[in-house]
Amino acid sequence: MSYQPHSAFAGLFHAFTSDPNSLGNRLAKTMSARDAALPLLVSTGSDIALFPGAGAPAQIESFRKSTRGFIELTAVSHLPLALAYLARLRELDDEGQGDSEAAAWRAEAKRLIEHAGHVREANTLAHWRDAVAVQSLRGNEARLVDLIDYTCGVSIRWLTQALANPSRLDFDRLVADYFEAAPGSDLPVPMNDVMFATFGLAYLDIVYRIGNWLRAQSIDWTRAMVIVSGRSGRPTAGATWSSNNMCHLIWRASREQLPPERLLVAPHAPGFSVANLGTADDLKSLEAGYRELWHNTRASIEVARKMFPEAPGFSFAPSPDEAMPPLADAQDRKVMAARLRRIMEDPAQLLSNCVADYIVDELARCDNDPSRAVIPGFTHVNYPTRIR
């Protein structure tokens, strides 16, 4: 039989916590009623919502997969990475028999060649200028077409040669002549630059739009309640301020007026997306749940400050140990590579963290004008046209 605690002890336990009618929940509800007019900002993995307070309707903005150009840019940024995964698959394939005609890596290589070929056909100026048509890329569409064609062309050529000569998928060869393109390589632009540039361009649009949207809301940042809620990226990633780039984005958009302690990262809290939002009543229920979550967390903070007035207090600050290594400039390839390695090697990091803080700070420097932003691997790089 499973153990059951004595009902008397369980009653006392639930009287304080873990019950809808507990003292803890009653305090949280009282605090929520007190702060019902305060603005509440909630960011999830793909959407951000402002609940202005006092019953005003929510304002919602989407980003990432639901936005124009995100899938296109991310797909291209993944193509060089796919060659690295393919090389690792070849190492492991068939217990060392990875060069046989039936090896799984060969089928995957052919599939990548086919998909990259389709992208080259679809990658037109008209697609980026008229179909994607995002403000953050305006004026750079032709250069973007060249970057994508170059990435696909080089990768198709490399994969085709690897099918005939599998040693081209050895990591030493890939690093020297594909990812880093050291002096003597026949690649004018290394693929590390491509990955950094495409990550940066995809995140540029997110920061530009969300930054503009946040500034247009006239939020009282000194009193705002902010929650970064639910899963973001990998299941192990984005659980802290420093590893979840929405924290830095929101803080910068507030022009650094948001006190860091008023932003809670709640990876286990429910998320939402515009795709599954229901009626106005559903939104009100969602808002009430988030406000109660906020105050359940803040209750112990308010009580502690009154309960231990003479004890040293806690002051929150983002951890510098989790920060990405700083770029010296837009040509700092060593740090670009270090950031790319960090996001792949550290399970706590979101993949976009390789560029996120740089892009957020760069747009802040440029007063949110994307045409003035310097994107490493793109802004001062000339990509050749029509690689064969």
Side-chain angles (χ1 to χ4, degrees):
M1 293 178 61
S2 62
Y3 167 75
Q4 294 294 328
H6 194 287
S7 59
F9 290 90
L12 177 59
F13 177 85
H14 292 301
F16 177 73
T17 187
S18 187
D19 186 273
N21 297 315
S22 67
L23 172 59
N25 280 330
R26 184 178 295 276
L27 176 57
K29 290 179 187 298
T30 303
M31 292 170 66
S32 292
R34 177 198 66 186
D35 296 338
L38 295 187
L40 168 67
L41 187 70
V42 180
S43 175
T44 69
S46 60
D47 302 275
I48 188 165
L50 172 65
F51 302 97
Q59 306 294 320
I60 301 174
E61 182 73 5
S62 296
F63 57 91
R64 287 189 80 244
K65 293 182 182 179
S66 60
T67 60
R68 294 171 180 265
F70 179 86
I71 292 295
E72 287 94 333
L73 286 166
T74 306
V76 175
S77 71
H78 287 171
L79 182 56
L81 180 61
L83 266 72
Y85 272 56
L86 193 68
R88 183 62 180 140
L89 178 62
R90 175 181 167 265
E91 287 182 340
L92 300 174
D93 205 16
D94 295 337
E95 297 182 347
Q97 303 303 311
D99 295 345
S100 69
E101 287 300 317
W105 75 265
R106 290 183 174 274
E108 294 294 340
K110 292 172 183 176
R111 190 156 66 108
L112 287 171
I113 290 171
E114 180 181 5
H115 282 295
H118 292 327
V119 167
R120 293 190 88 183
E121 295 171 4
N123 177 45
T124 64
L125 183 60
H127 175 74
W128 288 101
R129 185 187 57 208
D130 305 328
V132 175
V134 296
Q135 177 66 35
S136 63
L137 298 175
R138 186 167 295 175
N140 282 313
E141 294 92 345
R143 298 182 66 249
L144 183 56
V145 168
D146 289 344
L147 180 158
I148 292 170
D149 186 76
Y150 172 82
T151 307
C152 291
V154 166
S155 300
I156 289 171
R157 183 177 66 188
W158 197 279
L159 289 165
T160 301
Q161 292 171 347
L163 287 169
N165 178 13
S167 67
R168 289 187 70 82
L169 286 180
D170 291 340
F171 273 100
D172 288 345
R173 182 78 177 273
L174 277 171
V175 169
D177 297 334
Y178 181 77
F179 289 112
E180 295 183 358
S185 167
D186 62 354
L187 263 65
V189 184
M191 286 296 140
N192 283 351
D193 284 28
V194 167
M195 288 190 288
F196 210 87
T198 46
F199 268 122
L201 289 165
Y203 203 69
L204 179 74
D205 182 61
I206 292 173
V207 179
Y208 171 70
R209 288 188 306 99
I210 297 301
N212 276 346
W213 183 82
L214 287 170
R215 279 185 280 273
Q217 305 305 314
S218 301
I219 299 169
D220 180 356
W221 288 107
T222 61
R223 303 173 70 223
M225 303 182 295
V226 184
I227 302 173
V228 177
S229 183
R231 175 176 167 179
S232 184
R234 294 181 288 188
T236 55
T240 64
W241 175 297
S242 299
S243 64
N244 195 308
N245 51 58
M246 284 304 296
C247 302
H248 188 57
L249 193 165
I250 293 169
W251 181 68
R252 277 296 228 166
S254 79
R255 293 183 170 88
E256 303 173 25
Q257 295 178 42
L258 173 68
E261 71 164 22
R262 294 190 69 82
L263 190 156
L264 304 178
V265 180
H268 302 296
F272 67 86
S273 71
V274 294
N276 61 22
L277 287 176
T279 65
D281 286 341
D282 293 332
L283 269 176
K284 288 181 180 178
S285 176
L286 189 68
E287 176 183 359
Y290 281 125
R291 287 184 180 273
E292 192 165 328
L293 181 156
W294 166 273
H295 286 104
N296 263 313
T297 302
R298 295 288 301 184
S300 67
I301 296 173
E302 291 189 11
V303 169
R305 288 171 179 171
K306 292 178 178 294
M307 188 175 177
F308 308 105
E310 302 303 322
F314 169 73
S315 178
F316 173 77
S319 170
D321 294 336
E322 296 178 355
M324 289 288 125
L327 286 158
D329 53 48
Q331 286 77 44
D332 192 349
R333 283 177 169 163
K334 286 187 177 180
V335 171
M336 283 189 235
R339 283 172 166 246
L340 288 165
R341 176 169 177 167
R342 173 73 179 277
I343 62 162
M344 293 179 65
E345 201 169 24
D346 181 356
Q349 298 294 333
L350 302 174
L351 296 180
S352 55
N353 282 354
C354 67
V355 298
D357 64 314
Y358 172 85
I359 297 295
V360 170
D361 292 341
E362 180 68 2
L363 274 179
R365 181 188 70 81
C366 298
D367 197 25
N368 218 39
D369 181 354
S371 69
R372 293 164 49 202
V374 177
I375 309 300
F378 183 73
T379 302
H380 300 304
V381 178
N382 293 316
Y383 284 90
T385 58
R386 303 308 297 176
I387 291 291
R388 296 296 180 188

